[in-house]
Amino acid sequence: MPWAAPVRSALNVLATRRAPIMAAVAVRSLFLVAGWGRFFAGDEPGYERLGDIWRLEGIYVGAWPPGIPWLIATAGDVFGHAAGMGVLRFLLVLTSGFICHCLMSLTRRLAGRGAERTAGWCYALYLPLVPSAHLVVSEQLQVAFVLPALLILWGLVQDRKGWRACWHASLAGALLGVAGLLRESVVLLLPGVALWMLQRAGMRRGVLVGGYVALGLVAVTLPWATRNLRVTGQASWFGHSAGGFVAAGWNGHHADFDVEDLRDRVGTLPMGGLRDALLRDPPMPWTAPRTGAHAVRSSENVQRGMKFALEEPGWMLRTRVLHQARAWSPLSDMVRYLRSGAYAGPLDRPTVRGTIGTLALLQSMLLLACACLGWERMSRARGARWLMAIALAAYVASTFVLSMTRYRVLLDTLLFIPAAVWWRSRGERRPSIRSTAGLGFLCLAWAIELPWILVSMEALWTDD
């Protein structure tokens, strides 16, 4: 048949390792073009302002780590502000291909070649992660530095020796240092990484490798810490945003940034009994300080938050349950930006954005459920579950302060590994008790979030 040869060629291309990498870039490029000039990102205007001040006045005045503002300032110097932001968006889309490559390499090492391309294709077509690839915020670049660092560290604890191991350990530390200069939450990964290296490589080799990792990390962050010591009198290694997170998430007003644009629909929320019970009788929120150095304000916020927690233990416990439910919600930035009109043309029609948003919602639910089922089956790769547990523990620790689905970018990327393991081995054995308990936890979290899920879907499918 005349069409048989082109079909075989196309299938051969899709079966190659490059295909999911190219697909990841292509999908994100499509949404980049559709949303050009129309993005409504919460933190991006703040990063832009800090970058412009840095470029025009030569000073950095923000509490966030300096990585993204520095990139904006540098791109503005070279291309001008508008063109510089466009260049950064395009470069972020290209990093999707690099992330897909690193994810596939890590999957091959942790779970075998069978799961490699499955994880790559899942990442390429996973809509909830698409907005992070064209918004000039920190999550996408954080993943682009953390993944290769984890890949290097996995190789180090397996079989690398001598000076080559020292060089690779220092490189991994430098990558983690750059990731910390983009987003402070990387600090939460470091204790788990240290314990993992000690457990996998033994005390002597683990301490040696950890020392070189620390050396690389310090070499990257020391200039910034020195600058902060000179300018502010405190040697901050990354940033001072912890106090801001405490003020937003550990307070009586209980901010929920995933659904902030739906506040006008709060009166129409269905089935809100469980959520309303957790939020009953909110105490008077404390006021965050508005003046003073960022380091001082951050410290003051943490102190006020600790005092608030001691005075309102019942409220804190109930809202931490709600934070955990929100952390595992199937809502995502894709759903939020679709309903806010961030994408033009056909993607802004109610039927189209409703279909895409519903698909993104289902993809998120499927990823979490498959990863939960595949967790136990990763035991065949020695130490693989340890590596997953590090990212999970770091993310869960952060959600006890402030949670939103945007902060799950790194975790979702890593969860493609156990999800691919389950998909490749489904039907081999029944789910374990722990996997079943994990699925039960997810169902409970989704039940708590159900009112906002329903209202969000309603907003997607209607033309207001």
Side-chain angles (χ1 to χ4, degrees):
M1 296 182 183
W3 48 266
V7 169
R8 279 199 301 270
S9 299
L11 291 176
N12 289 335
V13 170
L14 292 176
T16 64
R17 195 172 186 275
R18 296 190 301 271
I21 297 174
M22 294 186 293
V25 175
V27 170
R28 286 150 180 79
S29 297
L30 172 66
F31 282 91
L32 171 65
V33 173
W36 195 267
R38 299 186 65 181
F39 299 123
F40 303 95
D43 285 347
E44 189 181 72
Y47 280 123
E48 280 192 81
R49 180 182 63 83
L50 294 174
D52 284 343
I53 294 174
W54 201 342
R55 176 171 62 92
L56 298 173
E57 301 180 19
I59 58 173
Y60 181 66
V61 297
W64 289 326
I68 297 298
W70 179 82
L71 285 174
I72 293 174
T74 303
D77 279 334
V78 177
F79 302 102
H81 175 72
M85 291 295 291
V87 168
L88 289 179
R89 295 189 199 282
F90 178 70
L91 292 177
L92 283 171
V93 167
L94 291 182
T95 62
S96 300
F98 176 71
I99 291 171
C100 188
H101 167 74
C102 291
L103 174 65
M104 293 170 68
S105 299
L106 191 59
T107 305
R108 184 176 69 250
R109 289 180 176 244
L110 297 182
R113 292 187 178 275
E116 177 185 9
R117 279 195 289 271
T118 302
W121 277 109
C122 288
Y123 173 81
L125 303 177
Y126 188 67
L127 295 175
L129 291 183
V130 168
S132 65
H134 55 57
L135 296 168
V136 188
V137 290
S138 58
E139 283 79 11
Q140 174 87 353
L141 280 180
Q142 176 200 23
V143 178
F145 283 97
V146 171
L147 272 188
L150 295 179
L151 188 59
I152 292 171
L153 290 174
W154 177 262
L156 284 174
V157 300
Q158 295 299 308
D159 54 11
R160 292 180 181 170
K161 300 178 181 179
W163 288 107
R164 187 182 178 203
C166 299
W167 157 248
H168 281 88
S170 299
L171 177 59
L175 290 171
L176 289 174
V178 174
L181 292 174
L182 292 164
R183 188 166 185 81
E184 285 175 275
S185 60
V186 172
V187 175
L188 298 173
L189 284 171
L190 299 180
V193 167
L195 289 174
W196 174 64
M197 288 191 298
L198 291 175
Q199 185 263 347
R200 294 295 304 135
M203 179 62 70
R204 183 176 178 181
R205 181 169 172 78
V207 170
L208 177 64
V209 172
Y212 279 100
V213 170
L215 181 64
L217 191 150
V218 170
V220 168
T221 57
L222 184 60
W224 179 247
T226 304
R227 175 263 181 198
N228 289 333
L229 182 63
R230 185 180 68 252
V231 173
T232 68
Q234 291 189 331
S236 170
W237 293 90
F238 300 112
H240 299 288
S241 60
F245 287 117
V246 170
W250 213 343
N251 213 324
H253 55 67
H254 197 72
D256 189 347
F257 298 106
D258 275 329
V259 292
E260 199 66 32
D261 59 309
L262 298 176
R263 290 295 175 187
D264 58 337
R265 297 174 181 257
V266 70
T268 66
L269 282 179
M271 301 173 62
L274 184 56
R275 189 182 181 94
D276 292 343
L278 292 171
L279 285 173
R280 70 180 187 275
D281 304 324
M284 183 66 66
W286 46 271
T287 304
R290 301 290 183 183
T291 59
H294 290 301
V296 175
R297 288 156 57 188
S298 180
S299 177
E300 177 64 22
N301 274 328
V302 172
Q303 292 176 21
R304 294 184 186 185
M306 294 297 293
K307 180 181 178 182
F308 180 84
L310 293 174
E311 293 175 348
E312 302 290 344
W315 168 262
M316 289 299 297
L317 179 61
R318 297 198 310 272
T319 53
R320 292 322 96 184
V321 173
L322 193 55
H323 270 265
Q324 287 304 305
R326 185 187 306 156
W328 305 104
S329 170
L331 296 175
S332 62
D333 270 359
M334 174 57 81
V335 175
R336 180 154 60 107
Y337 292 130
L338 281 168
R339 68 172 181 254
S340 64
Y343 299 107
L347 295 182
D348 199 27
R349 295 173 184 169
T351 54
V352 176
R353 70 171 185 246
T355 302
I356 296 174
T358 303
L359 179 59
L361 185 92
L362 295 175
Q363 283 182 328
S364 183
M365 297 175 74
L366 188 62
L367 171 65
L368 294 173
C370 290
C372 188
L373 292 170
W375 184 279
E376 292 289 325
R377 303 185 188 190
M378 290 187 65
S379 59
R380 298 172 185 174
R382 297 180 62 192
R385 284 191 293 177
W386 260 80
L387 191 59
M388 294 295 102
I390 291 170
L392 180 63
Y395 177 69
V396 170
S398 70
T399 60
F400 281 103
V401 179
L402 180 66
S403 65
M404 61 184 296
T405 54
R406 176 184 141 198
Y407 298 156
R408 216 172 64 207
V409 172
L410 174 60
L411 184 64
D412 275 6
T413 304
L414 289 171
L415 288 181
F416 288 122
I417 301 175
V421 170
W422 179 82
W423 187 257
R424 297 290 299 185
S425 62
R426 64 192 185 280
E428 287 186 8
R429 58 183 179 182
R430 294 181 179 179
S432 67
I433 295 176
R434 280 181 288 187
S435 295
T436 306
L439 288 175
F441 168 79
L442 287 177
C443 290
L444 177 61
W446 297 340
I448 294 174
E449 285 293 293
L450 183 60
W452 286 121
I453 294 171
L454 295 177
V455 170
S456 184
M457 289 296 102
E458 179 190 18
L460 277 176
W461 286 93
T462 57
D463 193 2
D464 293 333

